[in-house]
């Protein structure tokens, strides 16, 4: 795999602009790289670091040319300890070498110097774990994420803030307040940050900011019920749940309505189950991408 070093900050366009260009070029598919033990077994691999490495790099090589971005699930690398994180570092470097945008699905969130340390790890220049973007949890307060949001802006990287998730437990926090819900306030805060971003559309790409949102593909009518206007945020929307988790492209078009062009639909197991053959993986990704067109 290519051994690429991170670009200097001055040479890197804002993440939102780079993501919009990738979506216009390759389509609105994000390919999850989720090395679940069951998938490793299905591929005939051992649940160890060697299996993890082969799985991850095979998936990247097959899916990188088809997807606008890849999203490694950090927890599934962490479970292998420091050696697993070394594989993640290798995967992120390989994605840079292939000019494939990466979203580290780490869901980090903390306060003060601890949040700043997380920001340095996932977004800082020179960090071996630096990705193009990282997922963040805002439930210590949106402003607790400020170190990461500000560092992403300085380095041309991005963040995806958990906004409205489709897990049953999420509503007990996110929906509180109804039309003044917690989720709505978080989503509007992301829009405020994007209003001050260098948001420039390409000739065939939407104008996206670099503060994205994670909105479950299966949230159904919750956006409407909570009075949330995603289109106004100019946020890229990472939408997990497409494919194996139940959401169809038609479902998602209804859910996201006027914000559809902002949506980056994530499929993981539905594509990865077609492995380990690279041609099978790519065909599954192409099918998923074409359904979103």
């Amino acid at each position: 795999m290519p051994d690429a070093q991170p670009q200097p900050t001055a040479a890197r366009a804002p993440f939102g602009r780079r993501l919009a260009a990738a979506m216009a070029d390759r389509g609105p598919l994000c390919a999850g790289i989720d090395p679940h033990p069951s998938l490793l077994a299905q591929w005939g691999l051992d649940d160890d670091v060697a299996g993890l490495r082969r799985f991850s790099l095979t998936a990247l090589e097959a899916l990188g040319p088809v997807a606008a971005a890849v999203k490694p699930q950090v927890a599934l690398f962490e479970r292998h300890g420091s050696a697993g994180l070394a594989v993640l570092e290798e995967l992120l470097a390989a994605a840079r070498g292939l000019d494939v945008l990466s979203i580290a699905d780490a869901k980090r969130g903390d306060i003060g110097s601890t949040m700043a340390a997380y920001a340095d790890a996932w977004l800082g220049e020179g960090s071996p774990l630096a990705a193009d973007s990282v997922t963040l949890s805002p439930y210590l307060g949106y402003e607790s994420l400020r170190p990461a949001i500000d560092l992403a802006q300085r380095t041309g990287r991005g963040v995806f803030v958990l906004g409205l998730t489709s897990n049953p437990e999420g509503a007990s926090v996110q929906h509180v307040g109804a039309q003044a819900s917690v989720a709505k306030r978080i989503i509007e805060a992301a829009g405020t940050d994007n209003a001050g971003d260098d948001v420039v559309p390409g000739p065939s790409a939407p104008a996206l900011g670099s503060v994205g949102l994670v909105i479950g593909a299966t949230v159904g009518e919750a956006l409407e019920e909570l009075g949330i206007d995603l289109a106004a945020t100019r946020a890229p929307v990472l939408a997990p749940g497409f494919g194996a988790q139940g959401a169809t492209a038609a479902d998602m078009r209804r859910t996201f309505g006027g914000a559809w062009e902002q949506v980056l639909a994530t499929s993981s197991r539905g594509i990865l189950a077609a492995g380990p053959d690279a041609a099978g993986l790519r065909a599954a990704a192409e099918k998923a991408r074409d359904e979103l067109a």
Side-chain angles (χ1 to χ4, degrees), residues 31-270:
I33 299 181
D34 293 11
H36 287 280
S38 60
L39 281 170
L40 292 172
Q42 186 175 325
W43 282 32
L45 300 173
D46 292 330
D47 185 14
D48 59 15
V49 172
L52 176 73
R53 183 178 187 274
R54 183 173 175 186
F55 180 98
S56 302
L57 296 181
T58 297
L60 174 64
E61 288 184 336
L63 304 177
V66 180
V70 295
K71 182 178 71 65
Q73 172 48 256
V74 170
L76 295 172
F77 293 82
E78 286 181 340
R79 64 184 290 272
H80 293 275
S82 60
L85 288 176
V87 172
L88 179 58
E89 292 172 3
E90 184 179 1
L91 175 67
L92 293 170
R96 287 193 294 270
L98 294 172
D99 197 27
V100 177
L101 293 178
S102 58
I103 303 169
D105 195 357
K107 299 182 180 71
R108 295 299 191 252
D110 215 305
I111 59 173
S113 60
T114 307
M115 190 65 236
Y118 281 136
D120 284 341
W122 297 104
L123 302 166
E125 293 298 329
S127 169
L129 284 170
D132 289 292
S133 59
V134 64
T135 59
L136 301 176
S137 175
Y139 289 102
L140 289 172
Y142 181 86
E143 283 303 312
S144 69
L145 305 179
R146 184 57 52 192
I149 294 168
D150 288 350
L151 182 58
Q153 183 179 38
R154 292 197 300 272
T155 60
R157 294 187 167 93
V159 301
F160 284 92
V161 178
L162 296 178
L164 190 63
T165 62
S166 53
N167 60 303
E169 305 87 354
S172 67
V173 173
Q174 297 163 19
H175 292 210
V176 171
Q179 290 284 314
S181 67
V182 173
K184 185 176 183 179
R185 292 199 299 272
I186 288 168
I187 289 166
E188 289 178 345
T192 298
D193 274 320
N194 285 329
D197 200 357
D198 181 16
V199 179
V200 180
S204 60
L208 297 179
S210 294
V211 179
L213 293 161
V214 181
I215 308 289
T218 56
V219 296
E221 297 178 356
L223 288 167
E224 183 177 353
E225 291 169 354
L226 298 175
I228 293 170
D229 183 2
L230 277 182
T233 68
R234 298 193 293 186
V237 175
L238 185 64
F242 172 54
Q245 290 176 264
T248 67
D251 293 333
M252 293 174 66
R253 283 183 177 274
R254 285 192 294 271
T255 294
F256 293 108
W260 174 246
E261 70 173 6
Q262 298 163 229
V263 174
L264 182 63
T266 299
S267 180
S268 300
R269 284 172 290 175

